[in-house]
Amino acid sequence: MLQEESDLSLIIAQIVQKLKGSNLYAQLERQAWACLQRPEIKLESLKEDIKEFFKISGWEKKLQNAVYSELSVFPLPSHPAAPPEHLKEPLVYMRKAQGSWEKRILKSLNSMCTELSIPLARKRPVGEQKELLSKWNEMGTDEPDLSLFRPVYAPKDFLEVLINLRNPNYENGDSLSFRTHLGLIQVPLKVKDIPELKEFFVELGLTTGQLGIDDSTQVPPELFENEHVRIGQKVLAEQDGAAAQQYIRQGSPTALRADLWALILNISSQPEDILYYEQLKTNVIQHDLLVDSLIYKDVKLTASNDDYYFVFEDYLYQVLLCFSRDTSVLGHFAYNSASPPKSYIRGKLGLEEYAVFYPPNVAPLCFLYHEPSKLYQIFREMYVRFFFRLHSISSHPSGIVSLCLLFETLLQTYLPQLFYHLREIGAQPLRISFKWMVRAFSGYLATDQLLLLWDRILGYNSLEILAVLAAAVFAFRAVNLMEVTSLAAAEAVLADLSTLKVMPLLQIFLFATVT
Amino acid sequence: MKIGTSTESGGGSFIGLLSTINGTLNRMSVQTIRNVFSVETGYRLSDDQIVNHFPNHYELTRKDLMVKNIKRYRKELEKEGSPLAEKDENGKYLYLDFVPVTYMLPADYNLFVEEFRKSPSSTWIMKPCGKAQGKGIFLINKLSQIKKWSRDSKTSSFVTQSTKEAYVISLYINNPLLIGGRKFDLRLYVLVSTYRPLRCYMYKLGFCRFCTVKYSPSTSELDNMFVHLTNVAIQKHGEDYNHIHGGKWTVSNLRLYLESTRGKEVTGKLFDEIHWIIVQSLKAVAPVMNNDKHCFECYGYDIIIDDKLKPWLIEVNASPSLTSSTANDRILKYNLINDTLNIAVPNGEIPDCKWNKSPPKEVLGNYEILYDEELAQGDGADRELRSRQGQSLGPKGGRSRDLGRTVLTTWK
């Protein structure tokens, strides 16, 4: 009990510390000073009166949302004597693996630089700056020669690294038993099984209404949808972040989604945020980074050819280029095992740090936000809260390693025949599902389905649902998969996910399959 | 039994899909269609022959005649005192203002000049009456650019105007709704099985055609057809044309985007308005259409949405392109033809044009009933209702609605 209390006060102290540096704190201070003028504030009961004022005027709510938001990302309490690396990632071998992966990427980048004689970073000449500024909104149409640029790594390279992860302290002996994990991932991390998942995802159960199922054509809207929309509007009116997160577990109505996500991620478009974005944009104009070309190439290859996202190609460049220069993203590295490689800009413009990463999933967000700075904020927040875990090696339950393990365990435990069959024909299931999970299914599902899936990621503050969905897809196509005899054929069966309806699949897999 | 198909520019043929029907297939050119229905030849279609065009479809599909018919229809409603013809304080129709201001050239040249002078900074678009695929279209913002048509009308009124040179000039919508900074238009398919009583169906899987280049209303880009014209026939020659998605979006994508960014009510209102203008355009030409019982027709409607979310009817095509530019496109067009024939030819049997043209709900496929005059009249004599049985458009696939829901609450 004492331990819990002291943990709690430690957490509180840390959150307070964090919030003190934030904009919200400054605003609250200003508000407190300003409200001294008000007649209802009396000197004798100053503290209570100000608190009361905050409650009525909605500032308390904002503070609540901010605290809640911090809590969601806060790492678990740990031993006070633990060094900071332990906070990022408690397992040594994971840290080492991530470190060597980063070194490998950096080496690859550097060798590309020398090969092509392009600096990692350089300042643009003024003429080029003007040109870029003028075509800032149309970067998609000008295609520089990118043929020499190779992507730094492909998902399967990353998968190879994960497959080779071993815990040096773990010895499971050579004897095979029914416990032996037959999948590719061989690290002993704890993952949930179906009973635990059922509990975790209880709101997805058969008796609870869902968007994605209970708003379909055959169901009259009075049964669920109308009420759900009404509650959503109420949540937005109250601006309650915690309630929103609970609400969105049942899916978000399309019209409310943009605002709900902003509320949950605690994003409000202040003038300072717009200014920040503009600053990043200036940074892009003034300096040219090698990663820019890689980003450009990746977007060209993926989003430009996509039926849904090609329209937003130009937004993607804007957001991603700015993101690669955003140093505040580094703040999140406190709870990520990765540490960004450093690079010096030629011409001694000072030390600039930036992270090397696999371009993440911006495109679906363009369906919700069309104002660049807001789009950028939402994207950045989603990245630092969730998506970065898909690209770095860690033991976190939402990390990609755990997701892979969760997927394989689910498959092996509940679809053993299928799993064994696929393994026999050389089609390890993870090899197919990895690319879905690492991109959070973006580019594989229809957009409206993808957004319903990401609603649940926000609602449950976890990426585990990606692994569950991947397993559910395999379960759904099990009959066809049992008949294939090669990896290529298995890939073909699972090539097109665009017609799948996400929520029914998840429900069936979690709640309606006889185990 | 013969089933005639007409193939015009960009048209496909129906041959491959009629394997279930016994009989020979004739490919009819437009000329043959004209002959079939021409008074002189005295040719009569027999009862088991149906044709996929109405004899005088040009009343709707030629740009000048469409505008003429709509103008006439509006005037008639105004004379009757119908509430549909209500105008606002500026004299603009409240419910029937869905075609941009248009004049015929050279006939209305002087009227046009008067209008042009009222707002000299406006841009106008010149379109040849009888052409398709964006051919011959250009934009103007100065009277001098169309002097040619004024000269003709001034010199002699005895010179018979060759219909080939007739143009329409419309006010250019220079504030189109942009997505990702690009202009787009909507292509919707509408099947009409009979005009009197009017029975029409809307295909749920329409699509948006995007320009490959960012939109700019600046005068320097007036000549750049890649900015302004969305026809695939034009865009596919652009540098940035992509063959995988063809610059096309499904209507359900559009709906998802608009609902997410603008809200559900205004999106619903927009789509209701689109249905409304299609029905009104058909009603406008219904009285003059030769409602031959051997005929049905599938039109391609082109609609542009402006940045106030108001839809505008640009034109109607009688022979919408049935060729496909992408894989998805081919699937869509295949299904379109399949569903069209299922409605036009009941049960895949030899047609008998005496049937009542009321197909059962199951064969509609991806069509939904847009307007059924018989049903509507059955529900009340003095109110025009639009019945929307079946499913409405939407990314999730629709739901059933009440019969007889009024759209405009201000109807008396």
Side-chain angles (χ1 to χ4, degrees), chain A residues 10-73:
Chain A
L10 185 66
I11 295 179
I12 295 177
Q14 282 173 323
I15 293 185
V16 166
Q17 190 63 28
K18 189 121 183 265
L19 284 180
K20 265 200 177 148
S22 79
N23 186 36
L24 182 60
Y25 183 76
Q27 284 178 321
L28 283 171
E29 246 190 338
R30 273 202 300 275
Q31 284 294 316
W33 280 111
C35 82
L36 287 178
Q37 313 289 332
R38 302 173 76 88
E40 59 264 21
I41 310 286
K42 308 220 180 341
L43 193 55
E44 312 84 61
S45 51
L46 189 63
K47 202 166 170 187
E48 282 69 38
D49 287 345
I50 295 188
K51 271 199 210 167
E52 188 63 30
F53 168 72
F54 275 162
K55 207 184 236 171
I56 303 176
S57 56
W59 282 100
E60 179 180 305
K61 203 61 216 231
K62 290 205 177 103
L63 182 60
Q64 261 180 349
N65 286 346
V67 171
Y68 191 76
S69 180
E70 288 299 325
L71 273 176
S72 319
V73 300

Side-chain angles (χ1 to χ4, degrees), chain A residues 137-138 141 215-217 219 221 225 254-255 304-308 310-312 314-315 366-368 370 447-448, chain B residues 179-180 182 210 212 214 240 242 244-245 247-249 253 256-257 259-261 263-264 328 395-399:
Chain A
N137 287 324
E138 317 190 297
T141 45
D215 54 338
S216 74
T217 73
V219 181
E225 197 183 349
T254 36
S304 320
N305 288 333
D306 186 295
D307 284 341
Y308 298 101
F310 70 89
V311 176
F312 304 117
D314 299 317
Y315 285 144
C366 295
F367 263 84
L368 299 177
H370 52 259
T447 312
D448 60 319
Chain B
I179 298 185
R182 290 171 224 219
F210 281 87
T212 51
K214 277 272 183 352
D240 289 305
N242 183 302
I244 296 179
H245 53 69
K248 288 182 182 169
W249 245 20
N253 250 356
L256 175 67
Y257 177 81
E259 277 186 9
S260 302
T261 51
K264 200 157 180 164
N328 282 340
K396 19 184 193 131
R399 72 186 59 246

Side-chain angles (χ1 to χ4, degrees), chain B residues 157-319:
Chain B
S157 47
F158 296 115
V159 175
T160 46
Q161 312 294 342
S162 155
T163 46
K164 289 202 196 67
E165 281 176 355
Y167 271 71
V168 291
I169 185 162
S170 309
L171 187 60
Y172 184 62
I173 300 162
N174 63 354
N175 61 334
L177 177 67
L178 300 178
I179 298 185
R182 290 171 224 219
K183 178 176 167 177
F184 68 98
D185 78 346
L186 275 176
R187 160 57 61 95
L188 300 169
Y189 296 101
V190 179
L191 169 64
V192 179
S193 52
T194 141
Y195 273 99
R196 291 185 299 273
L198 179 60
R199 197 168 288 134
C200 52
Y201 307 84
M202 173 116 120
Y203 202 63
K204 285 190 266 187
L205 306 178
F207 53 89
C208 309
R209 297 174 293 204
F210 281 87
C211 292
T212 51
V213 179
K214 277 272 183 352
Y215 181 74
S216 153
S218 89
T219 44
S220 54
E221 292 284 5
L222 279 182
D223 295 326
N224 186 349
M225 286 302 118
F226 294 113
V227 171
H228 295 283
L229 296 185
T230 54
N231 309 66
V232 175
I234 296 210
Q235 292 293 333
K236 71 179 181 201
H237 297 295
E239 269 175 13
D240 289 305
Y241 183 69
N242 183 302
H243 290 273
I244 296 179
H245 53 69
K248 288 182 182 169
W249 245 20
T250 58
V251 164
S252 49
N253 250 356
L254 175 68
R255 199 162 182 145
L256 175 67
Y257 177 81
L258 288 177
E259 277 186 9
S260 302
T261 51
R262 301 274 192 143
K264 200 157 180 164
E265 290 81 41
V266 301
T267 307
K269 182 162 165 285
L270 168 67
F271 280 90
D272 282 348
E273 267 183 55
I274 291 178
H275 299 158
W276 171 254
I277 65 185
I278 295 178
V279 171
Q280 292 306 309
S281 66
L282 290 172
K283 281 191 162 206
V285 299
V288 303
M289 271 297 189
N290 180 348
N291 193 31
D292 194 310
K293 57 186 191 242
H294 302 91
C295 300
F296 68 94
E297 199 156 16
C298 180
Y299 298 106
Y301 268 76
D302 289 343
I303 307 237
I304 286 200
I305 307 175
D306 72 15
D307 60 13
K308 299 187 183 38
L309 286 197
K310 180 181 160 68
W312 294 94
L313 176 59
I314 301 299
E315 66 164 342
V316 184
N317 296 286
S319 294

